[in-house]
Amino acid sequence: MLVSTNPNFCTAPTRGPNEGAFSPFGKACYCPSTRRMRRPLVVLTLAGLALRLAFLVLEPSTVLAGDEHTWTTWGAQVLPSADVAFSPLRFRLIFYPPAYPYFIGLTYALLGSLTAVKVCQALASAALVPAVGRLGFRVFNRPAGIAAAALVAFYPDLIWFSTHFWSETLFMVFLWWSFERLLAADRGRARDALVAGLLWGLATLTRETILYFAPVVALWLAWRSGRAGVARGGAFLLAASLVIVPWTTRNWVVYGAFVPVSTSGALNLWQGNARLTRQEVYDQYAAIRGRIERYEHARRLGLQAIRERQPTWIVDKLKGEMPLFWEADSLALVHIKRGAYGDVATWVGAVVAAVVLVPYLVVLALFVWGVAASPAGRSTVLLLVFLAYYNAIHVATHGFARYRLPVMPAVFVFAAWAAVELWAGSRRLSVGRAAVAVALGLVLAASVAPSLTSDWAEPSFRSSEEPGGE
C-alpha cells in the first residue's frame, strides 16, 4: 500500500505518492495544514481581484476587436431583445456555444452596462485563484498550491482577459473548479463527482473543446477504484449530461440536426487542414446557404482534407501548429497590433510585450522541470493527459496563443511545484527524469523559437491571425 508523501495529509492509505490520503471510511483525512490554505488563498484572491479591478479602471481607452463584437452583439443586444427575450428556442445562435452570451446578456440586463459585465468578469477571474491553489495543494503540497494560486493572481494575460470580451475567462473558472472537485471526488464522495460534472457541463457550454474528454475523466475516476469509483465516474457523466443534453435537444428542435453544442468546430477542422487560404475557406463557407448545411459541408471537407494529406499529415501539422499553440505571443499584443488602443509607440509595445511574455517563458521553463521532477500519481497523470489532449485538438485544427490559455493552470501547477522544489534546494534529477526534461524542453523550445526569432526581428511584434466566426 502506498503512503502519501504529501505533508498536508495524514498518513492513511492513499492512492499515490503525491496525493491526499483518505480514511478507511472514504472521507478525506486532512491535517490542520489543509485549513491553513484558506488564509493565503483569501489574500491572493483579493490581491488578484484588486489587480483586475485596477486594470479595468486604468487600462487605456480601447475599442472592441475581433470576436468581441460578436460576443457583445449576441449577449447585450440579441438576447435581451423583445424578439428573443432570452428564449433558447428564439435565440438563433448555433455557431458558438451559448454560456458566454448568456453570461453577458443576463449581467447586462440586470446591471445595465458592459462595464458592469467587465466587473463581473473580474470577479469570475479572481475566483480562478483559489481553484488552482486548491488544485496545486491536492496534487502536490501546500507551498505548491500557494505558488500556483499566486501565478494565477498575478499572471498578466489573465488580468488582461478579465476586462475583455472573450469566453476564456468564464470557461477557465468552470473548468478548473471542475478539476478541483474531481480530485476531491477521487476516492471521496460521489457528491463531489456530481458537482464536478455540473461544472464540466457548464464549461462545455462555454467552449466545446472539452466535450470529448469527459469519458476520459469518468474512466479516470473509475480506474482501479472498484464499484465506488465506477459510481463516481457515472455520477460525473450523468451530471455533465444533465447540463449539456438540454442544449443538444434545443439544437435538434430549432435546427433539426444533431449538434452536441455548436458548429464552429467543423469550420476550424476544415480551415486548419485545407490547402486553401483562410479567406478562401471563409468565402466558400459563406457561400453555402443554411447553418446546418455549412456545418456538414465544413466537417466533410475537413475530414477529406485530412485523408488527402496522409501519410505525412500528422508530421506537417505538428510542425505547423505547435509553434502557433506555444508561441511567444498574446491576445493583448494582438489587440495593440490591431489598433484597438489607437497609435501605440514601438517602445510601449516592447514594454507590454516584456510584461506579458517574460512571465510566460519563465513559467514554461519551470513547467519542464516540474513535469520531470514531479512524483508519479493519478492526479499528475490526469493533468498531463488533459494537457496533451488539449494540445492535440489544436494540432488537428489550428494553434493560436489564445487557445493555450485555458490549459495554462495545469502548466502553473507543475511550474509552482518546480519553483518550490528549486527554492528548497532540490535540483538533482535521475538520468531518466533528466532525459524527460531534455526531451520536453527541446519540444517546447522548438515550438517557441520561431515566434521569438520573429519578435526579435520585428520589435513591434507580429500578429498571428486567428479564426473568425460565422
Side-chain angles (χ1 to χ4, degrees), residues 168-331:
E168 277 75 10
T169 296
L170 188 64
F171 176 57
M172 293 172 72
V173 173
F174 289 143
L175 175 64
W176 291 102
W177 271 110
S178 179
F179 267 106
E180 192 278 334
R181 288 294 84 197
L182 280 171
L183 297 195
D186 189 25
R187 295 198 179 181
R189 298 172 297 184
R191 184 175 67 185
D192 292 320
L194 284 170
V195 174
L198 293 173
L199 290 167
W200 194 275
L202 290 171
T204 303
L205 293 184
T206 310
R207 289 188 71 86
E208 191 178 359
T209 45
I210 63 168
L211 174 64
Y212 307 103
F213 196 75
V216 178
V217 171
L219 181 62
W220 177 83
L221 283 170
W223 188 257
R224 294 183 178 180
S225 298
R227 292 182 180 178
V230 172
R232 287 190 291 270
F236 170 82
L237 285 180
L238 174 63
S241 299
L242 288 175
V243 176
I244 298 168
V245 168
W247 187 257
T248 307
T249 304
R250 171 266 185 193
N251 289 342
W252 181 270
V253 170
V254 174
Y255 289 100
F258 176 71
V259 179
V261 178
S262 66
T263 63
S264 58
L267 176 59
N268 292 334
L269 184 69
W270 182 23
Q271 186 182 68
N273 292 283
R275 297 187 185 277
L276 301 170
T277 66
R278 182 170 281 112
Q279 190 58 51
E280 287 172 337
V281 172
Y282 288 158
D283 291 343
Q284 291 186 28
Y285 185 80
I288 301 168
R289 298 190 63 181
R291 297 182 182 184
I292 299 303
E293 289 77 10
R294 289 177 182 174
Y295 169 62
E296 293 173 344
H297 181 80
R299 182 178 58 187
R300 183 174 64 255
L301 291 190
L303 293 174
Q304 177 182 318
I306 292 174
R307 289 193 298 269
E308 291 173 351
R309 294 178 62 175
Q310 299 301 334
T312 62
W313 171 77
I314 187 61
V315 175
D316 294 340
K317 292 294 287 180
L318 285 169
K319 289 168 58 178
E321 306 303 335
M322 286 288 284
L324 296 177
F325 188 79
W326 294 104
E327 65 184 340
D329 205 350
S330 163
L331 200 60

Side-chain angles (χ1 to χ4, degrees), residues 130-189:
V132 177
R134 289 167 65 93
L135 189 73
F137 169 78
R138 292 186 184 280
V139 175
F140 293 116
N141 55 28
R142 180 175 180 269
I146 294 171
L151 285 172
V152 176
F154 303 124
Y155 195 65
D157 239 14
L158 293 177
I159 295 171
W160 185 88
F161 266 89
S162 70
T163 64
H164 290 264
F165 297 108
W166 300 89
S167 62
E168 277 75 10
T169 296
L170 188 64
F171 176 57
M172 293 172 72
V173 173
F174 289 143
L175 175 64
W176 291 102
W177 271 110
S178 179
F179 267 106
E180 192 278 334
R181 288 294 84 197
L182 280 171
L183 297 195
D186 189 25
R187 295 198 179 181
R189 298 172 297 184

